[in-house]
Every structure is written in structure tokens, then in C-alpha cells.
């Protein structure tokens, strides 16, 4: 029996072969115990502080503010250990694995960012770690494979199917079902079957609770806008969570419009329809026959055909506004933030910055706008270089 809320409106739930139900029930009951256990929470907060470098700063952006015509603040997840917000979740879930007496962690990864964050947390906490990765992705992402291996993880290339993320997910699930007593499956975003969306949101909500404290201290009130990019939705849910109840704060999720909304993109909240993917009911990009569409984004972390069920519900119910930015707008946003504030954002995070540029002049001067800079751009330098060259030639 599940005890926590499994649905967000009509989205969420557990749509996965029956053999996984007892496994997910066990996970849920451990999560319920852990989040009430002051010793567990103390250990989680201590690692975030002393290992991951939290709290991350909230930086006022004076020159960008002038360009946009509002007071812009940046939540600096780019300064967290490993350079993005993903570490909040992987530390939390690695501790949960340990709490459940499981000494081995498995995860799937596409571009490798979640694999690296998982391998990092596993190494620090002292757990065995195996990362499933499509064989095509292994070739394309050699630096991240090396990072994972340096961190002591085993990278398992998956040759089946197209050798990409969805094949890696299937293989990791099979491995989990066979070794469930010893193995914890560490999911990377607020997606998948219940209780994963709730677990990942819980560990990412530290972004929102810090932001709320910081902005109230500086400005004496909550922001008028909070803007975050959306892949699966974990950095967005993390920062939105603290402000959902305050109706005066507008929440905006920015997806990848890729080459254009009428071309290849991954704008699921904008253009998706209800369906089932990876164990949950949510919005997804599918054709008339329910086949998952090919998606694209210049940002590897946004290149996913689904989206978290709670975020889908928040968009359906009108609480969160879905927007999007094209690859071209995103490259421009990287340049503007780098030149105006001395911060090179991840291509994912630059989608949120692109929203500001598209709406410059539409804010009131006194509006307080918080943009979540989910990660740093070092990992994207080659892609950025190629995009800038293309533009010149
Ligand atoms: C993975 C990633 C994302 C997208 O994932 P969400 O679950 O939507 O947050 C965004 N930004 C960065 C820097 C990432 O690494």
C-alpha cells in the first residue's frame, strides 16, 4: 500500500510492471521514515553544507538588470559542487540508499551529467556505483565517461536499440528488478513512477527554501517572478516549491524550442499531450499513434520527450506558465550573461536567461525577478564554440 499522494491532478501514478510495485512501496516507506528522521536530515544538511558547498549565493545582477528593466537576481546552482543542482538530489538519494541498507547504486544517464553527479555522491558516501549508458552516448560523451570512471563507478555501455538514453533506462530497470535487495535505483529528475517525483522534489526543494530566505533578507519580500529551465523539471520544481503558495509570485518554466516549435524541439509542457512514459502519466511529445517523438535541444540536459507529472499539473492548472527558447536565442543569452555579469551559464540554464531577453522592457522597474542558474557552462564550451562559428560562416 502506498501512503503518500501519488497523483497531481490526473498526472503521476505508478504505471510499471507489477513486479516493481513492492519495490516502490519499500522505497516510499523508507522515504517517509527518512524525511521525518532528524538524524537523517542532519546528515543530509551537513553534506550539502560541508561537501556540496551550500547554501549557494543569490547574486544581484546589476548590469543585466539595466538591460532587462527589472531587478534581476541569480540563484547560483552553478557554484554547487560538480557545477549544477543535480548534486542535491544524488547526495539525498545516495543517503537514502544507505539508510535502506543498500550498498550498490545504479543509474542511467544520457549526456552523462546525472551519471557524474551520481558517481560523485556514491564515491563520497562509499557506495558501489554502476551507470548504464547507451553505447552511442558513451562514444559522444567520452569526458563524462572518464569522470565517472575516475570517481570509481563502472560505466556499462548498452548496445540494444538505438544505444541511447531510453535503452539505458530499460537496461537499468532490468538490472534493478534482478538485484533489488542489494541495489538502489537513483533517478535523476522529478519523473518516473511514484514515489520518485516526490523524492527528487524533496531533495531539490533546498534551492527554493534558500532562495526564499535570501530574497526576503535582501528585499524584504518574495519575488514577483521566478524563472527556471525545464528538462525533466527538477531544478524548476526545486526553486518553485517554496513559492507555489504565494500567488503573487509568477512561476515560469522555460523549455527547449530547439530549432523551432514547428521543427525539432523538446517543449513538452508547451506542446505535449497526456500519455504514459517511464512509469508515469504526464505530458509527453508523441505522434498520433502514441509513439514518442524525436526531440532536440542544444542543451543536453533538456533533450527529453517527457516532463515531471507535478510540473505538468501545475501548468495545466495555470499556476506555472510554460515558455520556450530556441537554440539561437540560448546562445545569445549565454553571451549576454557572460559579458554583463561574468557568469557563463550552462546551455540549459541559459534558456531561463533567454526568457528575460525575449521579454525585456515588459517588466516594471521595481519587479524582483529570480532566475535559477541551474549549472555552469564549462561542460558546453565546445557546443558554444561550434554554434558561434556556424553563425559567422
Ligand atoms: C540536467 C540539467 C537540467 C535539466 O534537468 P531538470 O531536471 O529539468 O532540472 C538543467 N540544468 C542543468 C545544468 C542540468 O545539468
Amino acid at each position: 500500500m502506498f501512503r503518500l499522494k501519488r497523483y497531481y491532478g490526473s498526472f503521476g501514478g505508478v504505471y510499471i510492471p507489477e513486479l516493481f510495485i513492492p519495490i516502490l512501496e519499500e522505497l516510499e516507506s523508507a522515504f517517509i521514515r527518512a524525511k521525518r528522521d532528524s538524524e537523517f536530515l542532519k546528515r543530509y544538511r551537513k553534506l550539502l553544507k560541508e561537501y556540496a558547498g551550500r547554501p549557494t549565493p543569490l547574486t544581484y545582477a546589476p548590469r543585466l538588470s539595466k538591460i532587462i528593466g527589472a531587478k534581476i537576481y541569480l540563484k547560483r546552482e552553478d557554484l554547487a559542487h560538480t557545477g549544477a543542482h543535480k548534486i542535491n538530489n544524488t547526495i539525498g538519494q545516495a543517503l537514502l540508499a544507505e539508510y535502506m541498507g543498500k550498498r550498490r547504486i545504479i543509474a542511467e544517464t544520457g549526456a552523462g551529467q546525472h551519471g557524474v553527479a551520481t558517481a560523485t555522491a556514491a564515491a563520497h558516501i562509499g557506495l558501489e556505483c554502476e551507470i548504464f549508458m547507451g553505447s552511442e552516448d558513451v562514444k559522444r560523451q567520452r569526458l563524462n565517461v572518464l569522470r565517472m570512471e575516475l570517481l570509481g563507478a563502472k560505466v556499462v555501455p548498452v548496445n540494444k536499440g538505438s544505444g541511447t538514453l531510453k535503452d539505458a533506462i530499460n537496461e537499468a530497470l532490468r538490472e534493478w528488478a534482478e538485484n533489488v535487495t542489494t541495489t538502489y535505483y537513483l533517478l535523476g529528475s522529478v519523473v518516473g513512477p511514484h514515489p520518485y517525483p516526490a523524492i527528487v522534489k524533496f531533495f531539490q526543494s533546498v534551492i527554493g527554501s534558500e532562495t526564499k530566505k535570501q530574497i526576503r533578507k535582501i528585499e524584504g519580500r518574495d519575488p514577483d517572478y521566478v524563472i527556471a529551465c525545464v528538462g525533466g523539471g527538477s531544478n524548476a520544481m526545486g526553486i518553485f516549491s517554496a513559492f507555489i503558495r504565494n500567488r503573487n509570485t509568477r512561476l515560469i518554466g522555460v523549455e527547449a524550442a530547439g530549432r523551432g516549435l514547428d521543427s525539432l524541439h523538446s517543449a513538452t509542457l508547451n506542446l505535449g499531450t497526456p500519455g504514459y512514459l517511464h512509469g508515469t502519466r504526464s505530458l509527453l511529445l508523441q505522434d498520433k499513434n502514441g509513439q514518442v517523438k524525436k526531440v532536440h535541444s542544444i542543451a543536453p540536459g533538456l533533450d527529453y520527450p517527457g516532463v515531471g507529472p507535478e510540473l505538468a499539473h501545475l501548468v495545466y492548472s495555470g499556476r506555472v506558465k510554460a515558455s520556450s527558447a530556441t537554440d539561437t536565442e540560448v546562445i545569445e543569452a549565454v553571451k549576454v550573461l557572460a559579458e554583463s555579469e561574468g557568469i557563463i551559464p550552462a546551455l540549459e540554464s541559459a534558456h531561463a536567461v533567454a526568457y528575460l531577453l525575449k521579454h525585456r522592457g515588459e517588466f516594471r522597474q521595481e519587479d524582483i525577478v529570480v532566475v535559477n542558474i541551474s549549472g555552469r557552462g564549462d561542460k558546453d564550451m565546445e557546443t558554444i564554440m561550434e554554434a558561434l562559428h556556424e553563425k559567422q560562416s
Side-chain angles (χ1 to χ4, degrees), residues 275-286:
Y276 301 85
L277 182 69
H278 300 142
T280 189
R281 183 173 197 275
S282 186
L283 292 171
L284 66 135
L285 294 169
Q286 54 189 338

Side-chain angles (χ1 to χ4, degrees), residues 189 191 229-235 254-255 266 268 301-304 306-308:
S189 190
V191 297
C229 68
V230 176
S234 71
N235 85 88
V254 189
E255 297 191 305
S266 53
T268 316
L302 304 188
D303 199 350
Y304 180 67
V307 69

Side-chain angles (χ1 to χ4, degrees), residues 126-138:
L127 302 171
E128 225 185 290
C129 180
E130 267 180 52
I131 305 293
F132 292 78
M133 194 168 183
S135 49
E136 281 306 306
D137 289 333
V138 169

Side-chain angles (χ1 to χ4, degrees), residues 206-221:
V206 64
I207 307 173
S209 55
E210 283 177 12
T211 302
K212 187 170 197 150
K213 249 191 240 152
Q214 290 166 321
I215 198 72
R216 284 186 176 179
K217 189 155 176 224
I218 304 167
E219 292 281 356
R221 65 177 179 94

Side-chain angles (χ1 to χ4, degrees), residues 128-356:
E128 225 185 290
C129 180
E130 267 180 52
I131 305 293
F132 292 78
M133 194 168 183
S135 49
E136 281 306 306
D137 289 333
V138 169
K139 278 186 231 155
R140 284 191 290 229
Q141 304 290 342
R142 299 201 26 217
L143 277 180
N144 278 338
V145 172
L146 175 61
R147 285 189 182 102
M148 290 183 261
E149 287 173 349
L150 274 176
L151 292 159
K154 186 174 155 206
V155 178
V156 183
V158 177
N159 288 308
K160 291 181 186 150
S162 52
T164 57
L165 179 63
K166 67 180 190 324
D167 312 295
I169 292 176
N170 291 337
E171 203 57 19
L173 281 175
R174 204 182 51 78
E175 176 71 21
W176 193 31
E178 284 172 10
N179 297 287
V180 68
T181 48
T182 57
T183 302
Y184 182 96
Y185 188 167
L186 203 159
L187 209 62
S189 190
V190 285
V191 297
H194 176 77
Y196 281 107
I199 292 176
V200 178
K201 177 188 167 187
F202 178 76
F203 290 127
Q204 290 293 4
S205 65
V206 64
I207 307 173
S209 55
E210 283 177 12
T211 302
K212 187 170 197 150
K213 249 191 240 152
Q214 290 166 321
I215 198 72
R216 284 186 176 179
K217 189 155 176 224
I218 304 167
E219 292 281 356
R221 65 177 179 94
D222 282 352
D224 298 291
Y225 294 83
V226 177
I227 306 172
C229 68
V230 176
S234 71
N235 85 88
M237 282 308 303
I239 194 161
F240 291 168
S241 62
F243 303 103
I244 286 174
R245 291 223 180 111
N246 185 348
R247 295 259 154 192
N248 295 322
T249 301
R250 273 177 255 189
L251 308 174
I252 296 162
V254 189
E255 297 191 305
R259 297 189 190 130
L261 290 179
D262 51 0
S263 173
L264 277 180
H265 59 82
S266 53
T268 316
L269 292 170
N270 285 273
L271 295 175
T273 50
Y276 301 85
L277 182 69
H278 300 142
T280 189
R281 183 173 197 275
S282 186
L283 292 171
L284 66 135
L285 294 169
Q286 54 189 338
D287 65 19
K288 273 179 258 146
N289 301 318
Q291 293 296 311
V292 174
K293 279 192 190 165
K294 192 168 146 51
V295 292
H296 161 81
S297 168
I298 195 170
L302 304 188
D303 199 350
Y304 180 67
V307 69
E310 186 172 8
L311 198 51
H313 173 63
L314 288 168
V315 168
Y316 250 46
S317 63
R319 181 66 190 91
V320 170
K321 184 180 147 201
S323 181
S324 67
T326 65
D327 292 352
T328 313
E329 289 165 341
V330 163
I331 292 293
E332 181 60 24
V334 168
K335 281 173 61 185
V336 170
L337 190 65
E339 284 173 16
S340 65
E341 298 295 339
I343 297 167
I344 301 177
L347 285 169
E348 291 85 359
S349 326
H351 284 71
V353 179
Y355 180 91
L356 294 178

